[in-house]
Amino acid sequence: MRNRRKYSVANFKMNKTRSETVDFLDKLNSLIDTVPKTVLVVCPPITSLGAEFPVDKIWIGVQNINSNESGAYTGEVSIKMIDSHANFVILGHSERREYFNESNEEINKKLITVLKYKLEPILCIGETLKQRKNNEVQKTLKKQLSKCLQNVDSNVIIAYEPVWAIGTGETATSEIIVEAHQMIRNILNDIGFDGEKISILYGGSVNRNNAKELITLDDVDGFLIGGASLDVEHFYDIYKFIEESF
Ligand code: PGA
């Protein structure tokens, strides 16, 4: 019997002003009429933090932090600045890896900082289309996991996000997702974690039309949702499918 928490995580990326985030959270809060079993996390842009949110049923996360706690890093935001405003931190998103040259080593430093401050990291990993075509999925995931989790001994949430499925409308098939999630659990076991205890979310073009089926997959412990999370009713529908799967 699996005993892992399930998550529904909204990643707004660079969308929504502070007042739009407040409206979204107010609406979402009013739609939820029972205490969620799903861990519901909304990650707005950092500029939305500090606003008055209805946060009794919804957790707040951020999309990135700097690995340093303070210092001369123009334009950056440290964990100390978000500390009391958020509980989760998305790390290693493929857009950060691609557009901001984030390496596994840098992600590892960020992860250690997040854990030091007792926030929960959501570590994103996933292969590109080229890596998949070259049969390098296992190698890629193993490298990402072992480097990002170096010197880490607490469990973190993993988001499997194949790069080719993010924002493309092309969701991975159930077979691909199950295979990758099992691969990830085996790699976690190999590098000293208990893979059965770690929640692995799927991300990549999740929407209200595919979420119902994907959440029935045994190894899928929830979703990291980009585009479809921007519409509150759409995000709520996905959350409901996860709630119904308990
Ligand atoms: P998407 O993004 O749902 O728009 O594909 C997912 C993500 O980037 O986390």
Side-chain angles (χ1 to χ4, degrees):
M1 247 278 288
R2 91 161 167 199
N3 194 13
R4 296 185 295 266
R5 291 201 289 172
K6 293 190 196 177
Y7 296 80
S8 186
V9 183
N11 175 10
F12 285 175
K13 308 193 179 182
M14 201 173 70
N15 295 293
K16 292 199 191 292
T17 62
R18 190 180 173 94
S19 64
E20 287 167 343
T21 301
V22 172
D23 288 350
F24 179 101
L25 287 165
D26 280 341
K27 180 84 191 288
L28 183 60
N29 195 49
S30 68
L31 288 170
I32 302 166
D33 50 11
T34 52
V35 179
K37 294 195 238 19
T38 309
V39 185
L40 200 47
V41 185
V42 173
C43 304
I46 231 134
T47 47
S48 294
L49 296 192
E52 284 288 317
F53 295 143
V55 283
D56 55 330
K57 298 173 203 145
I58 308 159
W59 298 92
I60 300 296
V62 293
Q63 302 166 20
N64 178 41
I65 51 134
N66 190 281
S67 59
N68 298 288
E69 292 173 41
S70 62
Y73 302 99
T74 302
E76 290 292 275
V77 174
S78 89
I79 188 93
K80 284 186 182 171
M81 298 162 190
I82 57 130
D83 189 23
S84 57
H85 299 296
N87 292 85
F88 291 84
V89 183
I90 297 175
L91 289 176
H93 191 281
S94 65
E95 286 152 15
R96 297 224 45 98
R97 293 175 188 264
E98 185 181 348
Y99 305 135
F100 303 97
N101 297 321
E102 258 184 38
S103 64
N104 288 317
E105 289 74 12
E106 181 59 23
I107 296 161
N108 174 246
K109 282 195 212 153
K110 293 183 177 199
L111 212 143
I112 288 172
T113 304
V114 170
L115 290 172
K116 180 175 167 196
Y117 280 80
K118 308 224 175 315
L119 274 73
E120 290 204 51
I122 302 170
L123 171 64
C124 302
I125 56 171
E127 79 288 355
T128 61
L129 191 56
K130 186 161 170 240
Q131 287 164 330
R132 176 158 287 276
K133 284 193 173 147
N134 289 347
N135 257 326
E136 292 174 354
V137 178
Q138 156 102 21
K139 186 176 143 199
T140 306
L141 299 179
K142 181 153 198 171
K143 186 170 169 193
Q144 291 173 334
L145 284 168
S146 48
K147 292 198 173 223
C148 294
L149 293 175
Q150 200 158 19
N151 299 322
V152 171
D153 52 16
S154 9
N155 285 350
V156 306
I157 304 156
I158 305 286
Y160 169 62
E161 299 208 300
V163 180
W164 46 270
I166 296 178
T168 57
E170 191 179 337
T171 328
T173 60
S174 301
E175 290 71 27
I176 288 180
I177 296 172
V178 169
E179 189 190 40
H181 282 219
Q182 286 175 353
M183 209 180 258
I184 291 167
R185 284 193 209 291
N186 290 336
I187 296 169
L188 287 167
N189 289 336
D190 288 349
I191 61 172
F193 293 87
D194 182 350
E196 279 309 306
K197 292 206 174 121
I198 294 188
S199 294
I200 305 178
L201 323 185
Y202 168 73
S205 300
V206 174
N207 57 46
R208 55 158 75 115
N209 300 320
N210 55 30
K212 189 175 180 176
E213 187 195 327
L214 295 179
I215 199 62
T216 64
L217 303 174
D218 227 22
D219 275 292
V220 173
D221 304 311
F223 303 120
L224 177 52
I225 308 144
S229 76
L230 295 174
D231 179 289
V232 66
E233 276 161 17
H234 204 141
F235 181 64
Y236 174 76
D237 283 352
I238 297 171
Y239 151 77
K240 278 299 259 188
F241 289 133
I242 304 177
E243 272 306 271
E244 284 159 14
S245 73
F246 278 90

